[in-house]
Amino acid sequence: MTCLPRGGRPAEALEAVEASIEDYWRLLLVEYGVAAGTKEENDLAGMVVADTSAFEWRVVDAALGRLSCTECGGELGAGPTSCESCAQADGFRFAARETDKPATPPGTEHGLRVATAVARARHRYGVRARCGFELGLPGLLEGELPSTPRAQACRAAIDKLTEEECERVTSFEEVARLSSRRVR
Ligand SMILES: [Zn+2]
């Protein structure tokens, strides 16, 4: 489980998404008759990662989390950005299926998947990028997809914050409050 340093609702949302990722994995184990913690589980993870387009993104994320990178030794797809093997695995991650939940705007699930990937491997992203994605997690989890103008306004507000503030804020409201006080 990833502990999101900024805490607050984004951390709670990430915890909920990670729990759902584990739920999807458990269902896959049942489907394939595989026991957790066995070599077969590792083989199944390898099979999923070999053809990510055949599986839901939560299953793919769970599989990647169970495999180690042969190049950097970290979690596959989540190592340092200099690791080519992780870069390739992270690219394949995004070929996985994403199914929008009923009554949510198309693309919400994609947004949630991307925000989750950023929050779980935050060292791979810049301070401002991960701030935007992580703060977006709670809304996306509730099925809200921000409009393009709203997303742009959030990005512009984040740009006015210091890096330290970007790492500390836990909501877009807080970003708006801080950014309204400065001119830049
Ligand atoms: Zn690696």
Side-chain angles (χ1 to χ4, degrees), residues 68-87 89 124:
S68 299
C69 175
T70 50
E71 222 173 286
C72 72
E75 181 186 310
L76 186 58
T81 46
S82 57
C83 177
E84 281 176 28
S85 166
C86 278
R124 296 179 64 85

Side-chain angles (χ1 to χ4, degrees), residues 117-177:
V118 172
R120 294 184 93 192
R122 60 200 313 276
H123 58 278
R124 296 179 64 85
Y125 302 86
V127 169
R128 289 169 202 286
R130 66 193 184 209
C131 178
F133 281 113
E134 290 172 1
L135 295 188
L137 266 172
L140 289 163
L141 187 61
E142 284 163 19
E144 294 161 14
L145 186 65
S147 64
T148 306
R150 163 128 170 93
Q152 283 167 346
C154 289
R155 264 198 297 276
I158 286 170
D159 280 345
K160 290 185 186 166
L161 268 51
T162 65
E163 293 206 341
E164 187 272 324
E165 285 169 339
C166 285
E167 290 287 70
R168 174 163 55 83
V169 289
T170 58
S171 70
F172 285 126
E173 291 70 27
E174 205 177 340
V175 171
R177 206 160 53 234

